[in-house]
Amino acid sequence: MGLFRSMQVFVTTVQEGSMSAASVKLGLSPAMVGQHVAALEERLGMRLLNRTTRRQSLTDFGRSYVEQCRDILDRVAVADQHAEAEQAEPRGQLKITAPTTFGAEVLMPALPRYRVLAPDVKLDITLTDRNVDIVDEGFDIAFRIGEPPDSRLIARPLAPYRMMICASPNYLTQRGYPDHPGDLANHDAIGFTPAARSPWKLTKGNDEVEVSPRLSITVNSGQALRTAARAGLGVIMQPAMLLRSDIETGLLVQLFPDWHLRERSMSLIYHRDRRMTPRLRSIISFAVSEFGTAPDEKRNSEAE
């Protein structure tokens, strides 16, 4: 067995806590993981792991050896990254994570334009509303709503995450058109879990209104809220980027367009110590160009 591969398997086994967990991580059988560790022990003439039927632990030598293996693997990774940086064209794999709604409704439709720029880059995309630790979980970049608190990360600002209140024409015909945000207290609302109970805050000049609509439905999916609103089930407050196409086609009507709802900052984040390879540089440049301007501002610029 290859020494370098066996080192990788051994380090992963220690990180994951068991050979069975390492086998899932590496896509190997548990037996093959065991063979790699056994091959290392035979080569070294020393036991690396104390193994019982229920648990495993590092021997004293194993604790020292795993750190040396990590150092070797890190050095190889740096050498690989340096070699890639010398290549003119971006290639290889990028691991990206983004919020579910932004990823499905904004990022994915934009990716054909990125594919033209970097056809040899393979994208591994995870959409989740969980606050992913990109360093520990091995992501290259993340689209993040809100300010990243981690000093290990660099944040490139993108257009803010703007919110909008909408309802379907059918709902408004049946329930009436609210003239003022305060009227929402008498309307049914569909709320996004887990923030559904938070009041809606709107400002217009010096006027500020905080209203808690009557929640008839709560759901943990932005796409589901959009579908429910189009079906006439109530009023929703969701990202403008998710609702804009329905407003343009008349499926939804924007309420209180003269009022301002709170915006949330959005950024592209990546590890401060990450080597700037051509593929990483290409996705950062694309994201800042594509999402650094609000959609309305971008459309106006293109029209000019």
Side-chain angles (χ1 to χ4, degrees), residues 43-56:
R43 173 188 174 87
L44 298 167
M46 300 283 285
R47 182 170 290 278
L48 298 171
L49 294 172
N50 295 314
R51 297 186 279 278
T52 67
T53 56
R54 293 191 175 183
R55 63 187 299 271
Q56 68 178 33

Side-chain angles (χ1 to χ4, degrees), residues 19 44 48 72-73 97 109 119 121 173 188 226 236 254 278 299:
M19 291 186 181
L44 298 167
L48 298 171
I72 291 170
L73 296 176
T97 180
V121 175
T173 298
D188 291 332
R226 175 187 177 190
I236 61 171
Q254 182 181 2
R299 273 203 294 252

Side-chain angles (χ1 to χ4, degrees), residues 124-176:
D124 180 358
I125 301 173
T126 298
L127 302 184
T128 176
D129 293 322
R130 180 173 60 86
N131 196 11
V132 173
D133 186 323
I134 69 168
V135 177
D136 290 345
E137 298 184 44
F139 285 95
D140 295 296
I141 63 168
F143 292 88
R144 180 70 51 82
I145 300 172
E147 295 296 333
D150 196 328
S151 61
R152 297 175 298 172
L153 305 176
I154 292 176
R156 299 287 298 272
L158 303 176
Y161 210 58
R162 296 176 177 172
M163 306 303 286
M164 184 182 292
I165 298 176
C166 291
S168 72
N170 182 52
Y171 174 87
L172 295 172
T173 298
Q174 294 181 5
R175 300 293 300 275

